[in-house]
Amino acid sequence: MPKVIQYSKGSIPYFAGDEDPRVFILQKGIMILSSIDPETHCTITDQVKPGEFFGVKSALGHFSREETATALSDAAVVALTVPEFEKLVSTNKEILMKMLRVFSKQLRQIHKKIESVLNNIPEDQQTGMIAVAKSFYDEEEYRSCYDVCKKMLERFPNTQYAAEVKALLDESKLIAQKELARQYVPNPNETTGGLKQFSLPLFERFAKTYVPGQVIISEHEPGDTFYLIQAGQVQLLKCVNGTQKNLDILKAGEFFGEMAILDNSPRSATCMALDNVKCLEFSKANFESLVTSNPQIGLSLLKLFSKRIYDQKRRFRILTIADLQIRIMDTFLLFDEMNPSMNTAEKSRKFNVTVSDVAHWSGLNTETAQSEMAKLEERRKVEIQEKSIVVANIADFQRLVESHVNASHPKGM
């Protein structure tokens, strides 16, 4: 049963860094959420109003609190377990849609900050799509280049870049004739990844199929559809300074493309079929009715946003570290979080990454990353192998990064 908890003025329901699985609703009073901005190192605050939730993302995402909650006046809050929260939200369509839009907006804001730090903001959607197409061409992914060019000409038929895009489309089409002729091969083990209701025949009218290398949605194009993977794997890619960078690989049962639906923004990443893929494609028009009639979808999206917001904030923190060796160390800590060791007492950690991967995740050019990694190797902090990198003592990296971050925060703020 949900519990009502009384807090006197100045009380702290939880601190940043706490492991706390509860979700809260403010009944009365004023609650302030405070955290440290990783870019400015200043304290930022957010006020919770009566009737609003707080502590949702960390509870749903199962990670530590990112902010400290302080009662600015005598306050009463309702504390819920995650199952209690899910039950409450699934019966209230308005709350569910509002939270999805708020989370989507927060994720978009973090994306924009990262783009700004990386100096990777195109002039407009059209120049952004051209850059995506050219990056695929340069990497000899001609099928993908063709798809992006085709999408651009469909989306922006009167573009001033029509001749340039048409020439790139024709050239990539000529080279990729075999790939373009490839047919979808059904997977006999198709699964909806736990969302069994979507295996019903009535959803077949939403089904779309894709072959390896085919671009499902292109970064920067307008967003008016979202997808549920039924079979196969979808690779999420980001064009960073003319090079395609892998963000994630999604599997059956996972969604993609939902963020642009919620906040009317261009696509923030390219989604490409890694193998034979079958998706259910839903339009912007039926998104809200689909989510509200299937609360489990909305809850799955809330959890997805919680994870993505946390991941992007984590990435942003890395990019704001000025000391390049500390930044690289924090990048390895991120790798460790993404693929934790089964033996927590083990100090040495081997990561199946290259210096190029480190450069990407730490926001450095390859030459700078190579130089800084060479210095770490000289200090015997790492050992660079052909297709992997060994960190001698991951706990040492943790200590050094925490010490640097703590020293960067101004006192009394």
Side-chain angles (χ1 to χ4, degrees):
M1 289 287 292
K3 298 179 180 179
V4 178
I5 304 174
Q6 303 291 334
Y7 290 100
S8 58
K9 180 180 178 180
S11 297
I12 299 178
Y14 60 79
F15 289 91
D18 284 355
E19 301 290 337
D20 189 339
R22 298 173 297 172
V23 174
F24 298 97
I25 309 173
L26 183 62
Q27 268 193 337
K28 64 178 182 180
I30 302 173
M31 195 68 65
I32 294 292
L33 306 180
S34 58
S35 58
I36 301 296
D37 185 300
E39 189 172 22
T40 64
H41 306 301
C42 294
T43 299
I44 53 177
T45 59
D46 219 357
Q47 182 173 322
V48 183
K49 300 175 183 178
E52 292 184 339
F53 292 89
F54 62 101
V56 178
K57 291 191 293 293
S58 55
L60 292 182
H62 304 291
F63 47 80
S64 56
R65 300 295 194 191
E66 296 179 293
E67 72 286 329
T68 296
T70 306
L72 206 60
S73 67
D74 290 346
V77 302
V78 179
L80 302 92
T81 63
V82 169
E84 289 169 343
F85 166 78
E86 291 179 348
K87 183 177 180 181
L88 174 64
V89 171
S90 64
T91 58
N92 194 313
K93 300 175 182 179
E94 290 184 4
I95 291 178
L96 183 56
M97 289 306 303
K98 181 180 179 180
M99 294 188 74
L100 284 171
R101 291 192 177 96
V102 169
F103 280 21
S104 177
K105 183 178 179 180
Q106 290 178 357
L107 184 56
R108 180 70 65 179
Q109 290 171 340
I110 300 167
H111 274 304
K112 288 181 179 179
K113 285 187 175 183
I114 290 176
E115 296 287 88
S116 178
V117 170
L118 293 174
N119 193 27
N120 193 50
I121 302 176
E123 293 180 17
D124 52 44
Q125 288 177 253
Q126 295 178 40
T127 56
M129 288 190 74
I130 291 174
V132 172
K134 287 181 176 178
S135 68
F136 277 124
Y137 187 89
D138 292 343
E139 294 173 19
E140 300 183 357
E141 298 286 349
Y142 300 112
R143 167 66 208 247
S144 303
C145 174
Y146 168 84
D147 290 333
V148 176
C149 290
K150 184 179 178 183
K151 285 177 178 292
M152 181 169 174
L153 293 173
E154 290 172 350
R155 293 288 194 175
F156 305 103
N158 300 317
T159 177
Q160 61 180 317
Y161 308 107
E164 180 184 358
V165 176
K166 183 68 166 57
L168 191 58
L169 179 142
D170 290 342
E171 190 169 351
S172 57
K173 180 180 180 180
L174 184 64
I175 301 173
Q177 287 181 350
K178 290 183 179 179
E179 288 83 356
L180 290 169
R182 186 179 294 170
Q183 298 294 311
Y184 171 77
V185 179
N187 183 343
N189 299 316
E190 279 185 5
T191 172
T192 53
L195 298 175
K196 300 299 182 185
Q197 65 267 42
F198 293 105
S199 61
L200 297 174
L202 67 93
F203 285 104
E204 276 301 306
R205 63 192 176 99
F206 298 107
K208 300 284 184 179
T209 58
Y210 303 91
V211 298
Q214 188 170 359
V215 173
I216 304 170
I217 59 178
S218 169
E219 185 178 358
H220 303 298
E221 76 169 310
D224 46 23
T225 51
F226 80 106
Y227 302 82
L228 168 66
I229 305 171
Q230 286 196 301
Q233 299 181 93
V234 173
Q235 186 172 20
L236 270 61
L237 298 161
K238 186 81 177 172
C239 183
V240 180
N241 299 321
T243 303
Q244 290 293 335
K245 302 295 185 180
N246 179 54
L247 296 179
D248 202 356
I249 293 176
L250 306 181
K251 300 178 181 178
E254 296 190 85
F255 294 94
F256 62 94
E258 72 292 327
M259 191 164 69
I261 287 283
L262 286 161
D263 62 10
N264 300 310
S265 300
R267 301 295 194 184
S268 61
T270 295
C271 299
M272 182 185 74
L274 202 56
D275 48 18
N276 288 295
V277 170
K278 181 179 180 182
C279 294
L280 296 182
E281 179 188 80
F282 299 105
S283 69
K284 187 173 184 177
N286 60 30
F287 176 80
E288 185 166 343
S289 60
L290 180 68
V291 169
T292 54
S293 61
N294 296 270
Q296 190 58 45
I297 296 177
L299 291 170
S300 295
L301 288 174
L302 281 179
K303 292 176 181 178
L304 177 65
F305 278 133
S306 297
K307 181 181 183 302
R308 289 183 179 171
I309 289 171
Y310 176 82
D311 289 345
Q312 290 303 305
K313 283 185 175 180
R314 183 71 180 84
R315 174 88 192 282
F316 184 61
R317 190 188 90 167
I318 290 173
L319 298 177
T320 59
I321 297 176
D323 185 307
L324 299 187
Q325 289 198 19
I326 295 294
R327 185 189 296 192
I328 288 174
M329 289 179 191
D330 203 18
T331 300
F332 279 104
L333 294 180
L334 175 62
F335 294 156
D336 189 52
E337 293 164 16
M338 293 166 66
N339 296 284
S341 171
M342 298 298 290
N343 182 6
T344 55
E346 184 181 19
K347 293 182 179 181
S348 176
R349 289 283 280 116
K350 182 176 181 179
F351 299 97
N352 295 319
V353 297
T354 64
V355 173
S356 178
D357 295 324
V358 174
H360 163 56
W361 285 100
S362 57
L364 302 172
N365 60 50
T366 304
E367 293 75 17
T368 301
Q370 287 175 336
S371 174
E372 296 301 324
M373 287 294 295
K375 293 175 187 176
L376 288 172
E377 190 167 38
E378 287 176 7
R379 296 167 58 192
R380 298 185 180 180
K381 297 287 186 182
V382 300
E383 179 187 340
I384 303 172
Q385 301 177 350
E386 185 177 355
K387 294 183 179 180
S388 62
I389 298 173
V390 177
V391 173
N393 189 334
I394 195 71
D396 187 40
F397 276 18
Q398 182 77 48
R399 178 183 60 80
L400 291 168
V401 170
E402 287 182 356
S403 176
H404 177 84
V405 170
N406 292 335
S408 300
H409 295 165
K411 300 292 184 180
M413 297 192 71

